[in-house]
Amino acid sequence: MTTATTAPAGRATHDEPRARFTDLLAAEWLRMRSLRSTPWLYALSALAVVAFNAGTAYDHYKYWYQHDGRSQEFFVANGLALADAFTENAALVLVLALAAIGAVSVTGEYGTGLIRTTFTAVPARRAVMAAKVLVLAAVSTVFGVLVAAASFASTQAILSGRGASVTLGHPGALQVLIASALLAPVAALAGLAIGTVIRHTGASVVACVVLLLLLPVVLSDRRHLTAVLRHTLPLSGWERLTDVVFPQTTPPLYPWPETGAWTVYVLWALVAGAVTVLAVHRRDQ
């Protein structure tokens, strides 16, 4: 009788971690959906990014006939419409917005004290934060894909009125869209890690701006050391992956391969996730 009772208990204990983590994922998803600010932040960010791209395309459309025939032919022949599919200004807005969303998703809980209630109910802090990482990564990836697709569709629809649009089959088009879409989860996870470490909304957003936006501008690519440091940043990775748009007239002083840029994306996501999980485990005992 004792053996028969112990066996089911053992199976229940063995199955509990998987079910519990699934519950944490569901709880984090419900928490994200229930916050009114989060959907609005995503929506406004998407509108801003698509508007920047569409605005650039419309500018080219509107002033198309102010350029001579040779310039128009150069634009079409080199597929420069792909540059409007996701502009640098739009990438800056995307990084800032998604990093802020990632940071606020955890600093808001620290500010209200809700995180303490969560940790009291679920002592496995690393599992709680791992669920946050996965849900934020999934939602931000979907967001990035939708925004990149909407930007491409809208800009090429505008430029098609001048016969200057490109299709997804154009060389480099798919890479530009994938790199732009994946920039969203990378920025969001970086913001989440920064927010987990700093735990203050204002300071976390400032840190995101400095680390993700200002450093790529400050670090020069004309010296080897600063060029290498610049190449480790996600925005620089995006620039490298999207430089297929313009024909290279002069090679960069310190070139780096596309595989290096993809590696930067992967490492930032993995390191940010690890920092998020390990920081609370060591500081909230």
Side-chain angles (χ1 to χ4, degrees), residues 36-63:
R36 293 183 179 180
S37 60
T38 302
W40 278 107
L41 285 173
Y42 274 113
L44 292 175
S45 300
L47 288 175
V49 172
V50 175
F52 266 98
N53 294 323
T56 302
Y58 180 73
D59 185 72
H60 286 145
Y61 172 87
K62 183 177 180 180
Y63 298 104

Side-chain angles (χ1 to χ4, degrees), residues 8-233:
R11 287 195 297 270
T13 302
H14 177 72
D15 293 341
E16 183 180 352
R18 178 178 297 180
R20 187 177 188 178
F21 188 70
T22 303
D23 291 340
L24 290 177
L25 291 174
E28 180 61 23
W29 167 243
L30 290 175
R31 185 196 67 80
M32 181 178 290
R33 289 177 53 193
S34 63
L35 292 176
R36 293 183 179 180
S37 60
T38 302
W40 278 107
L41 285 173
Y42 274 113
L44 292 175
S45 300
L47 288 175
V49 172
V50 175
F52 266 98
N53 294 323
T56 302
Y58 180 73
D59 185 72
H60 286 145
Y61 172 87
K62 183 177 180 180
Y63 298 104
W64 180 258
Y65 293 112
Q66 292 187 6
H67 302 282
D68 57 34
R70 181 176 299 180
S71 298
Q72 295 175 5
E73 292 176 3
F74 181 85
F75 189 97
V76 175
N78 290 281
L80 297 190
L82 186 56
D84 293 350
F86 215 95
T87 64
E88 186 175 0
N89 287 335
L92 293 175
V93 172
L94 178 70
V95 170
L96 177 59
L98 270 294
I101 290 173
V104 170
S105 67
V106 66
T107 58
E109 290 192 70
Y110 276 106
T112 60
L114 181 61
I115 195 71
R116 298 184 183 88
T117 303
T118 302
F119 287 161
T120 300
V122 185
R125 293 170 172 82
R126 285 181 292 187
V128 172
M129 300 309 291
K132 289 183 179 295
V133 169
L134 292 178
V135 171
L136 180 66
V139 173
S140 299
T141 299
V142 173
F143 170 87
V145 170
L146 293 176
V147 168
S151 295
F152 183 85
S154 60
T155 55
Q156 302 316 304
I158 292 171
L159 292 172
S160 65
R162 303 301 187 202
S165 61
V166 298
T167 65
L168 280 176
H170 185 84
L174 194 58
Q175 177 169 301
V176 169
L177 289 184
I178 294 175
S180 301
L182 293 183
L183 185 62
V186 172
L189 291 176
L192 179 64
I194 292 172
T196 303
V197 173
I198 297 178
R199 302 185 178 185
H200 183 275
T201 299
S204 297
V205 172
V206 170
C208 289
V209 172
V210 172
L211 181 61
L212 300 176
L213 297 181
L214 292 186
L215 273 184
V217 177
V218 173
L219 293 175
S220 172
D221 56 2
R222 300 183 63 84
R223 292 186 175 87
H224 182 264
L225 178 59
T226 54
V228 170
L229 292 175
R230 191 176 188 275
H231 292 168
T232 63
L233 300 174

